[in-house]
Amino acid sequence: MPNSYLSISFFQRRKLKLAALIMGAIIWALPLITQAQTAPINDTPNFEGVLSLDQPIKTLPNITINYDPQIEVGKAGIFDASGTILPPEYKTVIYKWDFGDGDTAKGAEVVHFYNQAGDYTLNLSIEVDGQPYEQKNIAIFAYEKLYFLITDQFDQSEKISSLIKFAHDRGSYVELISSYESASEFLTEEELVQKLNESLPILQETNEIIIWTRGSTGLTLLSRFNQTLTDKSVFENMQFVMITDQRFIPVRNVAEGTFRTIKPVRIILTRSEALWMFFEQDNIETFINELDQRGIAYEIVDKVQKITFLNFMSYLVSYMVEKGVPSNSLLLVLMLPVIVTIVAFFKQVIGLTTMGVYTPSIITLSFLALDIRFGILIFIVILLFGSLTRLILRRYRLLYIPRMAIVLSIVSLTILAMLLLGAYFNISQLVSISIFPMLIMSTMVEKFVNAQAEAGFKQAFAMICATLFVAIICYYVVEWPLLKTIILGHPELIFAFLGVNVILGRWTGLRLLEYVRFREIFRYTEEE
């Protein structure tokens, strides 16, 4: 007997399949439809933790208060609890405020004035339909004077905390702008400028700012921060106290440049022992008188010296900063003659074989931008993966240019992987570093590969180690706070390095390492 299914035409078979699919869908959906029809309908919305009015009220942590934890004495403080989420079924909601100084108020948003400085505990209790619902306590500090403290002195963090507590006990509030994580002053300046931008509303309420940073970082960051402001008159009524342990002469030159740029009332240079005394005085005038009485050294910058042949570069630097050129970029440019002179000394006098003068100089600048710890790590990782990629590609006998393109592509992926690891492990210093110095260091791979092809791996490795050593020495010399202050305060000194290089260029004697290398010959000559 013939198979009846096979005798059906093609279109009929398609119709049978479609019908079977529809029937299967109906059979699958039928239990769901039946369950939906038989399920009880509940029109009451389900609020988690919300009870009906005939049940006792339970405490729910839903109070939201917008407020400023620090309030100046005699000024209005706004306390807003209207953002508190309450179930819509409640008809009557009462907000009761107890400000901790004997005054009370009612309302979702209230205004209060504190008449005396001190710490207060503010209590907000909420009643719904005549029953207690929730309450919350917050700490409020009412201050008489507001100060700004800008610092990167991570080794003085305990002293700074004690200083802030001392000011707090005397009814003063200190807004701390700090950077303790970065070892590089260039990265520190970046972070402090960003924090100043975030604290601009508070900054505009004070007229006395304390600066306690390494070298002249605090002064240069003020000039840079002023460039980001649309209102250039923010600092005009302010007075600055700069704490420094360096000689006043170079710091004063930097302070004069900052004074020309931001135009404050004055900048006072003094020592760290004056900090405690500063918070004991009512105003700057009594502070200066107390400095005289106690014999603490200080200088006041409240005017600018006239331009002369000896300080014309300082005026040019201040002019460029005032017109928007970043101060840290200018400092890097001014430091470049110092860096190349150090490299020339190590090559010409010491006798180290580095990859030219440009390579250690650019690595030093990259370390300044990346921080020395991460700079060395990134440098080693880039060279390691670049060398491994070169070894793997040797078996494929590729042409030089495509091979180097592959090597640099692998290096870029390595940089991407390091950024990913920094994001995964929440290493903020690695995530926030600039990408351009990393890319600049990646070009060292090509130089290292070329050195291996020309002189062999051992010679290339010794050369890259010498280059890294010189770059590290240059980094620590350039990061010397006193040198940075002198160069920024007296940029005319860079012309002196031209003379130093002329002297190095006329060096005709043996290099120091050559005395070590040929010591056997010298010993034999002496015996003869």
Side-chain angles (χ1 to χ4, degrees):
M1 182 176 179
N3 192 331
S4 60
Y5 179 78
L6 295 177
S7 63
I8 300 175
S9 66
F10 172 76
F11 293 103
Q12 290 175 332
R13 290 199 299 269
R14 292 288 299 271
K15 291 180 180 179
L16 287 174
K17 290 181 179 179
L18 181 60
L21 289 174
I22 294 174
M23 288 297 296
I26 293 174
I27 294 172
W28 175 80
L30 187 59
L32 299 178
I33 297 173
T34 305
Q35 182 179 0
Q37 290 177 345
T38 58
I41 299 176
N42 185 8
D43 294 330
T44 304
N46 182 19
F47 294 99
E48 183 179 356
V50 176
L51 305 177
S52 60
L53 295 179
D54 57 349
Q55 292 178 325
I57 301 298
K58 292 184 178 180
T59 300
L60 297 176
N62 290 328
I63 292 185
T64 301
I65 304 177
N66 294 323
Y67 68 102
D68 190 348
Q70 292 85 30
I71 302 174
E72 185 176 355
V73 172
K75 287 193 175 182
I78 301 175
F79 303 91
D80 183 11
S82 59
T84 300
I85 300 175
L86 293 171
E89 60 194 61
Y90 294 127
K91 298 178 181 179
T92 304
V93 180
I94 299 177
Y95 298 82
K96 294 183 178 181
W97 302 83
D98 184 349
F99 299 103
D101 60 350
D103 290 344
T104 59
K106 292 183 179 181
E109 182 178 354
V110 296
V111 178
H112 182 67
F113 298 83
Y114 285 98
N115 297 320
Q116 291 184 351
D119 293 297
Y120 298 92
T121 300
L122 183 147
N123 174 266
L124 170 61
S125 59
I126 298 179
E127 293 183 1
V128 290
D129 295 336
Q131 300 184 42
Y133 179 77
E134 174 66 288
Q135 63 177 350
K136 185 174 184 178
N137 294 328
I138 57 176
I140 301 294
F141 175 59
Y143 61 86
E144 293 181 347
K145 295 194 67 175
L146 171 64
Y147 300 99
F148 244 71
L149 174 58
I150 303 172
T151 182
D152 63 354
Q153 299 284 353
F154 55 87
D155 55 339
Q156 300 287 342
S157 57
E158 293 184 1
K159 184 176 181 179
I160 291 172
S161 299
S162 301
L163 187 68
I164 293 175
K165 186 179 183 303
F166 176 77
H168 182 278
D169 294 339
R170 298 185 62 84
S172 300
Y173 172 64
V174 180
E175 178 72 14
L176 180 63
I177 305 295
S178 63
S179 174
Y180 294 148
E181 296 181 355
S182 177
S184 172
E185 289 189 31
F186 294 94
L187 297 181
T188 296
E189 184 175 325
E190 293 277 352
E191 184 178 355
L192 290 175
V193 169
Q194 181 180 355
K195 290 185 176 181
L196 279 175
N197 274 307
E198 296 172 355
S199 303
L200 181 59
I202 304 177
L203 178 66
Q204 293 174 324
E205 296 179 6
T206 185
N207 56 9
E208 296 178 5
I209 298 178
I210 308 163
I211 304 171
W212 192 11
T213 57
R214 292 170 289 173
S216 58
T217 301
L219 295 172
T220 56
L221 74 88
L222 289 177
S223 300
R224 183 176 177 186
F225 174 65
N226 190 67
Q227 300 164 10
T228 64
L229 301 176
T230 54
D231 182 11
K232 303 298 182 182
S233 62
V234 170
F235 295 116
E236 287 186 357
N237 296 322
M238 295 186 183
Q239 305 189 69
F240 294 86
V241 176
M242 174 69 184
I243 305 299
T244 179
D245 56 356
Q246 300 178 2
R247 296 175 63 246
F248 284 149
I249 295 178
V251 180
R252 180 185 177 89
N253 290 332
V254 180
E256 287 182 357
T258 303
F259 183 85
R260 281 193 295 265
T261 303
I262 66 176
K263 300 178 177 61
V265 176
R266 58 188 155 191
I267 301 175
I268 302 174
L269 309 178
T270 186
R271 304 304 184 189
S272 59
E273 53 264 29
L275 277 172
W276 304 91
M277 186 178 61
F278 176 78
F279 292 107
E280 294 176 347
Q281 309 306 315
D282 295 330
N283 52 59
I284 290 291
E285 300 299 334
T286 58
F287 172 65
I288 295 175
N289 293 333
E290 194 68 20
L291 288 175
D292 288 327
Q293 293 179 7
R294 299 192 184 186
I296 300 177
Y298 73 94
E299 282 198 22
I300 298 177
V301 178
D302 54 2
K303 60 182 178 180
V304 180
Q305 296 181 358
K306 296 181 179 180
I307 185 171
T308 63
F309 177 75
L310 297 177
N311 65 356
F312 74 98
M313 284 285 291
S314 301
Y315 268 78
L316 292 178
V317 170
S318 299
Y319 175 78
M320 287 185 284
V321 171
E322 187 176 355
K323 293 301 180 180
V325 180
S327 57
N328 57 354
S329 299
L330 288 174
L331 186 56
L332 285 177
V333 173
L334 292 173
M335 281 296 184
L336 189 57
V338 181
I339 295 173
V340 295
T341 301
I342 296 173
V343 175
F345 175 81
F346 272 97
K347 289 179 67 68
Q348 200 69 21
V349 179
I350 304 299
L352 287 178
T353 303
T354 64
M355 291 183 173
V357 177
Y358 171 79
T359 300
S361 302
I362 201 67
I363 292 176
T364 302
L365 295 179
S366 299
F367 286 170
L368 290 171
L370 295 173
D371 194 327
I372 185 68
R373 299 166 297 176
F374 296 102
I376 294 176
L377 174 63
I378 293 169
F379 182 79
I380 294 175
V381 170
I382 285 175
L383 288 183
L384 178 62
F385 277 86
S387 300
L388 291 176
T389 305
R390 174 182 176 272
L391 291 176
I392 295 173
L393 294 178
R394 286 179 62 181
R395 67 179 65 180
Y396 297 103
R397 297 183 179 180
L398 300 176
L399 296 177
Y400 172 77
I401 294 178
R403 185 172 71 248
M404 284 307 306
I406 295 174
V407 171
L408 293 178
S409 298
I410 297 299
V411 168
S412 66
L413 293 176
T414 303
I415 294 174
L416 184 63
M418 285 189 287
L419 293 176
L420 177 62
L421 290 175
Y424 180 78
F425 291 104
N426 197 24
I427 305 175
S428 58
Q429 298 95 328
L430 189 58
V431 175
S432 60
I433 58 179
S434 176
I435 189 64
F436 293 105
M438 298 175 69
L439 295 177
I440 289 173
M441 283 203 298
S442 67
T443 61
M444 299 300 106
V445 175
E446 184 175 5
K447 294 181 178 293
F448 185 50
V449 169
N450 290 336
Q452 292 182 64
E454 295 174 0
F457 177 78
K458 290 184 178 180
Q459 292 292 333
F461 182 74
M463 192 181 301
I464 201 69
C465 288
T467 301
L468 180 60
F469 173 76
V470 173
I472 293 174
I473 296 297
C474 291
Y475 169 84
Y476 282 107
V477 171
V478 172
E479 277 286 283
W480 186 19
L482 179 59
L483 178 62
K484 292 174 66 174
T485 303
I486 292 175
I487 293 296
L488 197 58
H490 302 277
E492 299 82 10
L493 290 176
I494 62 174
F495 293 106
F497 290 94
L498 298 178
V500 173
N501 282 284
V502 170
I503 296 174
L504 292 176
R506 298 180 65 86
W507 179 273
T508 57
L510 291 176
R511 298 170 177 86
L512 296 181
L513 290 180
E514 290 176 341
Y515 284 101
V516 178
R517 181 181 178 185
F518 302 115
R519 61 184 180 276
E520 295 296 334
I521 298 177
F522 294 142
R523 184 182 304 171
Y524 178 78
T525 304
E526 291 176 356
E527 291 177 356
E528 291 291 331

